[in-house]
Amino acid sequence: MPNMQMEKTPIPEQKPEVRCHNFEEVTQGYTEEMAQNEAQRCLNCKNKPCVSGCPVGVHIPDFIAHVVKGEYEEAFQTIKLTNSLPAVCGRVCPQESQCESKCVRGIKGEPVGIGRLERFVADWHMQHGSDKADKVPSNGHKVAVIGAGPAGLTCAGDLAAKGYQVTVFEALHVAGGVLMYGIPQFRLPKEIVQKEISALKEKGVEINTDMVIGKVLEIDELFNMGYEAMFVGTGAGLPNFMNIPGEDLVGTYSANEFLTRVNLMKAYKPEYDTPILDVKRVAVVGGGNVAMDAARTALRLGAEEVHIVYRRAEEQMPARKEEVHHAKEEGVIFDFLTSPVQILGDENGCVSEIECVKMELGEPDASGRRRPVEIPDSKFKMSVDCVVMAIGNSPNPLIRSTTKGLEANRKGCIVVDEETMKTTREGVYAAGDAVSGAATVILAMGGGKAAAKSIDEYIQNK
């Protein structure tokens, strides 16, 4: 009989007053007993609605059924049939708006903790299983993947499983993309990311780092080197700004730069020489997951007061509820219906204040959300020594500007057929944030999976 407990089995976490001073992982994962208890809440529905909510189509009831039986390696292999990065997805996927939103148990209680179970299974495999695998015999075809983020790694893994010789070209000195530079250690340990990447290398995927395609080599040159198709998964690494006075002051960061210095370049570790300002009062502008990451990172770097400045209301925030909850627990201050007007500096050109205006909600805009409208005569100033702009990113123009026939839309996103991920250039496919703009890890992976399928069909039918 299923466990009819109405709420999810709680997952252990570091206490807020402890974790806000360290970079260790906040949630500590299920024990076997907890995982068994949660897995038994699954009704193993005949229609499997949860699967329809997963962008990569994980066979969710099947892997959970293995957990119930204590067959953790079988559960892992079931997940790996469609998901190349289960330990990552179990940690950072917004399951509450995807697979768990379709769970029947959520109608009269909380849905099954699918993400928590996926993480448990992946972590169990890392401790007890092996990624040693027989390489699939080569089919004689070569494919280049540009970008070693979630989309690129997924595409590469799926193609390698079909016998393709896959080479990944990554601009940074380490593979992982946003998983390495964007998401903090306390949410996604970098050791976990690299273990997932090592498993792909075991499948025969070759990864070349420090390769800026569009500079070192261009797509036309890769075709001339014998690659029959290309996948572009270069992400959205170009930060957006508000274009208000003071964004050029010392102490104003894009969230991209701020998080890259800390996550990828280890600025939080004293043995690293990465420079980052020692700040005490921080304003983070934005309301998404990146804003939460920046705010919580600033606390861990020693900031005494951290504000989230968001121009809409709390219920309109795009950030995951879990991330907002954790930020509040850790002491982050939320200034809703507040929008920056300018950043002010001292005589040395360093940030000293941020001037804001209060907002109220008006009529809905094109997104369906009520538009924030400025309240007259409501300007005020906050004393800060650092401002982090976390209002989104756009794709870097390098690939599209050096590749003939590759079209982009007005936002700089590569134009693709949404079913096949085929671009306007023959033999070139793309997915992830380079196509959608900044989105989620799992949506990027779903796009990478769709592209791999299309690339296989393209090459086999040539």
PDB file of all heavy atoms in Angstrom, residues 51-72:
ATOM      1  N   VAL A  51       5.572  12.512 -15.863  1.00  0.00           N
ATOM      2  CA  VAL A  51       6.533  12.385 -16.967  1.00  0.00           C
ATOM      3  C   VAL A  51       6.296  13.484 -18.006  1.00  0.00           C
ATOM      4  O   VAL A  51       7.245  14.032 -18.572  1.00  0.00           O
ATOM      5  CB  VAL A  51       6.445  10.985 -17.610  1.00  0.00           C
ATOM      6  CG1 VAL A  51       7.404  10.881 -18.798  1.00  0.00           C
ATOM      7  CG2 VAL A  51       6.765   9.901 -16.582  1.00  0.00           C
ATOM      8  N   SER A  52       5.033  13.834 -18.219  1.00  0.00           N
ATOM      9  CA  SER A  52       4.720  14.873 -19.202  1.00  0.00           C
ATOM     10  C   SER A  52       5.230  16.236 -18.763  1.00  0.00           C
ATOM     11  O   SER A  52       5.401  17.143 -19.592  1.00  0.00           O
ATOM     12  CB  SER A  52       3.203  14.943 -19.429  1.00  0.00           C
ATOM     13  OG  SER A  52       2.538  15.450 -18.280  1.00  0.00           O
ATOM     14  N   GLY A  53       5.491  16.402 -17.483  1.00  0.00           N
ATOM     15  CA  GLY A  53       6.004  17.666 -16.976  1.00  0.00           C
ATOM     16  C   GLY A  53       7.512  17.763 -16.977  1.00  0.00           C
ATOM     17  O   GLY A  53       8.073  18.807 -16.624  1.00  0.00           O
ATOM     18  N   CYS A  54       8.192  16.690 -17.383  1.00  0.00           N
ATOM     19  CA  CYS A  54       9.664  16.675 -17.380  1.00  0.00           C
ATOM     20  C   CYS A  54      10.187  16.989 -18.773  1.00  0.00           C
ATOM     21  O   CYS A  54       9.902  16.244 -19.722  1.00  0.00           O
ATOM     22  CB  CYS A  54      10.180  15.313 -16.920  1.00  0.00           C
ATOM     23  SG  CYS A  54      11.989  15.174 -16.993  1.00  0.00           S
ATOM     24  N   PRO A  55      10.957  18.052 -18.952  1.00  0.00           N
ATOM     25  CA  PRO A  55      11.464  18.419 -20.279  1.00  0.00           C
ATOM     26  C   PRO A  55      12.344  17.367 -20.937  1.00  0.00           C
ATOM     27  O   PRO A  55      12.497  17.383 -22.160  1.00  0.00           O
ATOM     28  CB  PRO A  55      12.259  19.705 -20.007  1.00  0.00           C
ATOM     29  CG  PRO A  55      11.600  20.299 -18.809  1.00  0.00           C
ATOM     30  CD  PRO A  55      11.235  19.104 -17.960  1.00  0.00           C
ATOM     31  N   VAL A  56      12.938  16.454 -20.152  1.00  0.00           N
ATOM     32  CA  VAL A  56      13.764  15.394 -20.756  1.00  0.00           C
ATOM     33  C   VAL A  56      13.093  14.024 -20.657  1.00  0.00           C
ATOM     34  O   VAL A  56      13.675  13.018 -21.028  1.00  0.00           O
ATOM     35  CB  VAL A  56      15.180  15.342 -20.143  1.00  0.00           C
ATOM     36  CG1 VAL A  56      15.932  16.636 -20.426  1.00  0.00           C
ATOM     37  CG2 VAL A  56      15.145  15.064 -18.647  1.00  0.00           C
ATOM     38  N   GLY A  57      11.861  13.994 -20.155  1.00  0.00           N
ATOM     39  CA  GLY A  57      11.089  12.759 -20.171  1.00  0.00           C
ATOM     40  C   GLY A  57      11.585  11.649 -19.277  1.00  0.00           C
ATOM     41  O   GLY A  57      11.515  10.461 -19.642  1.00  0.00           O
ATOM     42  N   VAL A  58      12.080  11.978 -18.101  1.00  0.00           N
ATOM     43  CA  VAL A  58      12.524  10.931 -17.161  1.00  0.00           C
ATOM     44  C   VAL A  58      11.343  10.012 -16.820  1.00  0.00           C
ATOM     45  O   VAL A  58      10.225  10.468 -16.597  1.00  0.00           O
ATOM     46  CB  VAL A  58      13.094  11.565 -15.868  1.00  0.00           C
ATOM     47  CG1 VAL A  58      13.320  10.502 -14.790  1.00  0.00           C
ATOM     48  CG2 VAL A  58      14.406  12.285 -16.168  1.00  0.00           C
ATOM     49  N   HIS A  59      11.601   8.712 -16.778  1.00  0.00           N
ATOM     50  CA  HIS A  59      10.569   7.729 -16.431  1.00  0.00           C
ATOM     51  C   HIS A  59      10.405   7.728 -14.903  1.00  0.00           C
ATOM     52  O   HIS A  59      10.881   6.830 -14.197  1.00  0.00           O
ATOM     53  CB  HIS A  59      10.975   6.344 -16.933  1.00  0.00           C
ATOM     54  CG  HIS A  59      11.278   6.302 -18.404  1.00  0.00           C
ATOM     55  ND1 HIS A  59      10.441   6.832 -19.347  1.00  0.00           N
ATOM     56  CD2 HIS A  59      12.334   5.803 -19.084  1.00  0.00           C
ATOM     57  CE1 HIS A  59      10.965   6.650 -20.562  1.00  0.00           C
ATOM     58  NE2 HIS A  59      12.121   6.038 -20.424  1.00  0.00           N
ATOM     59  N   ILE A  60       9.686   8.714 -14.423  1.00  0.00           N
ATOM     60  CA  ILE A  60       9.653   9.006 -12.991  1.00  0.00           C
ATOM     61  C   ILE A  60       9.051   7.885 -12.141  1.00  0.00           C
ATOM     62  O   ILE A  60       9.695   7.419 -11.189  1.00  0.00           O
ATOM     63  CB  ILE A  60       8.948  10.356 -12.738  1.00  0.00           C
ATOM     64  CG1 ILE A  60       9.783  11.493 -13.350  1.00  0.00           C
ATOM     65  CG2 ILE A  60       8.737  10.612 -11.249  1.00  0.00           C
ATOM     66  CD1 ILE A  60       9.052  12.817 -13.475  1.00  0.00           C
ATOM     67  N   PRO A  61       7.843   7.405 -12.436  1.00  0.00           N
ATOM     68  CA  PRO A  61       7.291   6.332 -11.591  1.00  0.00           C
ATOM     69  C   PRO A  61       8.163   5.070 -11.603  1.00  0.00           C
ATOM     70  O   PRO A  61       8.240   4.355 -10.601  1.00  0.00           O
ATOM     71  CB  PRO A  61       5.916   6.064 -12.208  1.00  0.00           C
ATOM     72  CG  PRO A  61       5.568   7.312 -12.932  1.00  0.00           C
ATOM     73  CD  PRO A  61       6.872   7.829 -13.462  1.00  0.00           C
ATOM     74  N   ASP A  62       8.829   4.809 -12.734  1.00  0.00           N
ATOM     75  CA  ASP A  62       9.671   3.620 -12.834  1.00  0.00           C
ATOM     76  C   ASP A  62      10.875   3.714 -11.905  1.00  0.00           C
ATOM     77  O   ASP A  62      11.206   2.761 -11.189  1.00  0.00           O
ATOM     78  CB  ASP A  62      10.137   3.422 -14.276  1.00  0.00           C
ATOM     79  CG  ASP A  62       8.982   3.156 -15.235  1.00  0.00           C
ATOM     80  OD1 ASP A  62       7.863   2.891 -14.747  1.00  0.00           O
ATOM     81  OD2 ASP A  62       9.193   3.211 -16.457  1.00  0.00           O
ATOM     82  N   PHE A  63      11.545   4.874 -11.911  1.00  0.00           N
ATOM     83  CA  PHE A  63      12.723   4.978 -11.035  1.00  0.00           C
ATOM     84  C   PHE A  63      12.301   4.998  -9.569  1.00  0.00           C
ATOM     85  O   PHE A  63      12.993   4.426  -8.707  1.00  0.00           O
ATOM     86  CB  PHE A  63      13.608   6.176 -11.433  1.00  0.00           C
ATOM     87  CG  PHE A  63      13.456   7.453 -10.648  1.00  0.00           C
ATOM     88  CD1 PHE A  63      13.945   7.557  -9.340  1.00  0.00           C
ATOM     89  CD2 PHE A  63      12.878   8.579 -11.213  1.00  0.00           C
ATOM     90  CE1 PHE A  63      13.831   8.741  -8.619  1.00  0.00           C
ATOM     91  CE2 PHE A  63      12.759   9.771 -10.508  1.00  0.00           C
ATOM     92  CZ  PHE A  63      13.229   9.851  -9.206  1.00  0.00           C
ATOM     93  N   ILE A  64      11.147   5.609  -9.270  1.00  0.00           N
ATOM     94  CA  ILE A  64      10.682   5.632  -7.886  1.00  0.00           C
ATOM     95  C   ILE A  64      10.310   4.227  -7.414  1.00  0.00           C
ATOM     96  O   ILE A  64      10.570   3.849  -6.260  1.00  0.00           O
ATOM     97  CB  ILE A  64       9.510   6.612  -7.728  1.00  0.00           C
ATOM     98  CG1 ILE A  64       9.999   8.059  -7.927  1.00  0.00           C
ATOM     99  CG2 ILE A  64       8.860   6.471  -6.352  1.00  0.00           C
ATOM    100  CD1 ILE A  64       8.917   9.114  -7.837  1.00  0.00           C
ATOM    101  N   ALA A  65       9.742   3.421  -8.315  1.00  0.00           N
ATOM    102  CA  ALA A  65       9.410   2.033  -7.965  1.00  0.00           C
ATOM    103  C   ALA A  65      10.662   1.247  -7.582  1.00  0.00           C
ATOM    104  O   ALA A  65      10.635   0.412  -6.661  1.00  0.00           O
ATOM    105  CB  ALA A  65       8.692   1.360  -9.130  1.00  0.00           C
ATOM    106  N   HIS A  66      11.766   1.527  -8.249  1.00  0.00           N
ATOM    107  CA  HIS A  66      13.041   0.877  -7.888  1.00  0.00           C
ATOM    108  C   HIS A  66      13.507   1.344  -6.506  1.00  0.00           C
ATOM    109  O   HIS A  66      14.043   0.549  -5.726  1.00  0.00           O
ATOM    110  CB  HIS A  66      14.106   1.195  -8.929  1.00  0.00           C
ATOM    111  CG  HIS A  66      13.987   0.405 -10.198  1.00  0.00           C
ATOM    112  ND1 HIS A  66      14.007  -0.984 -10.219  1.00  0.00           N
ATOM    113  CD2 HIS A  66      13.845   0.805 -11.491  1.00  0.00           C
ATOM    114  CE1 HIS A  66      13.893  -1.402 -11.477  1.00  0.00           C
ATOM    115  NE2 HIS A  66      13.786  -0.347 -12.261  1.00  0.00           N
ATOM    116  N   VAL A  67      13.300   2.619  -6.200  1.00  0.00           N
ATOM    117  CA  VAL A  67      13.686   3.118  -4.878  1.00  0.00           C
ATOM    118  C   VAL A  67      12.897   2.390  -3.790  1.00  0.00           C
ATOM    119  O   VAL A  67      13.453   1.999  -2.758  1.00  0.00           O
ATOM    120  CB  VAL A  67      13.472   4.653  -4.779  1.00  0.00           C
ATOM    121  CG1 VAL A  67      13.762   5.146  -3.357  1.00  0.00           C
ATOM    122  CG2 VAL A  67      14.366   5.388  -5.777  1.00  0.00           C
ATOM    123  N   VAL A  68      11.614   2.206  -4.013  1.00  0.00           N
ATOM    124  CA  VAL A  68      10.765   1.496  -3.037  1.00  0.00           C
ATOM    125  C   VAL A  68      11.346   0.120  -2.738  1.00  0.00           C
ATOM    126  O   VAL A  68      11.345  -0.337  -1.583  1.00  0.00           O
ATOM    127  CB  VAL A  68       9.318   1.369  -3.574  1.00  0.00           C
ATOM    128  CG1 VAL A  68       8.494   0.447  -2.678  1.00  0.00           C
ATOM    129  CG2 VAL A  68       8.656   2.748  -3.648  1.00  0.00           C
ATOM    130  N   LYS A  69      11.884  -0.535  -3.755  1.00  0.00           N
ATOM    131  CA  LYS A  69      12.433  -1.891  -3.591  1.00  0.00           C
ATOM    132  C   LYS A  69      13.882  -1.881  -3.096  1.00  0.00           C
ATOM    133  O   LYS A  69      14.475  -2.944  -2.909  1.00  0.00           O
ATOM    134  CB  LYS A  69      12.364  -2.634  -4.925  1.00  0.00           C
ATOM    135  CG  LYS A  69      10.951  -2.844  -5.444  1.00  0.00           C
ATOM    136  CD  LYS A  69      10.996  -3.473  -6.838  1.00  0.00           C
ATOM    137  CE  LYS A  69       9.608  -3.584  -7.439  1.00  0.00           C
ATOM    138  NZ  LYS A  69       9.674  -4.101  -8.838  1.00  0.00           N
ATOM    139  N   GLY A  70      14.443  -0.685  -2.928  1.00  0.00           N
ATOM    140  CA  GLY A  70      15.849  -0.611  -2.512  1.00  0.00           C
ATOM    141  C   GLY A  70      16.817  -0.852  -3.656  1.00  0.00           C
ATOM    142  O   GLY A  70      18.006  -1.075  -3.430  1.00  0.00           O
ATOM    143  N   GLU A  71      16.323  -0.775  -4.881  1.00  0.00           N
ATOM    144  CA  GLU A  71      17.153  -1.029  -6.065  1.00  0.00           C
ATOM    145  C   GLU A  71      17.678   0.310  -6.596  1.00  0.00           C
ATOM    146  O   GLU A  71      17.252   0.817  -7.629  1.00  0.00           O
ATOM    147  CB  GLU A  71      16.329  -1.747  -7.134  1.00  0.00           C
ATOM    148  CG  GLU A  71      15.814  -3.104  -6.670  1.00  0.00           C
ATOM    149  CD  GLU A  71      14.779  -3.706  -7.605  1.00  0.00           C
ATOM    150  OE1 GLU A  71      14.283  -2.995  -8.517  1.00  0.00           O
ATOM    151  OE2 GLU A  71      14.458  -4.906  -7.415  1.00  0.00           O
ATOM    152  N   TYR A  72      18.635   0.861  -5.876  1.00  0.00           N
ATOM    153  CA  TYR A  72      19.054   2.232  -6.161  1.00  0.00           C
ATOM    154  C   TYR A  72      19.858   2.351  -7.458  1.00  0.00           C
ATOM    155  O   TYR A  72      19.731   3.350  -8.174  1.00  0.00           O
ATOM    156  CB  TYR A  72      19.853   2.788  -4.984  1.00  0.00           C
ATOM    157  CG  TYR A  72      19.113   2.686  -3.673  1.00  0.00           C
ATOM    158  CD1 TYR A  72      19.719   2.150  -2.541  1.00  0.00           C
ATOM    159  CD2 TYR A  72      17.786   3.099  -3.576  1.00  0.00           C
ATOM    160  CE1 TYR A  72      19.040   2.040  -1.339  1.00  0.00           C
ATOM    161  CE2 TYR A  72      17.088   3.001  -2.384  1.00  0.00           C
ATOM    162  CZ  TYR A  72      17.725   2.463  -1.270  1.00  0.00           C
ATOM    163  OH  TYR A  72      17.029   2.346  -0.090  1.00  0.00           O
TER     164      TYR A  72
END
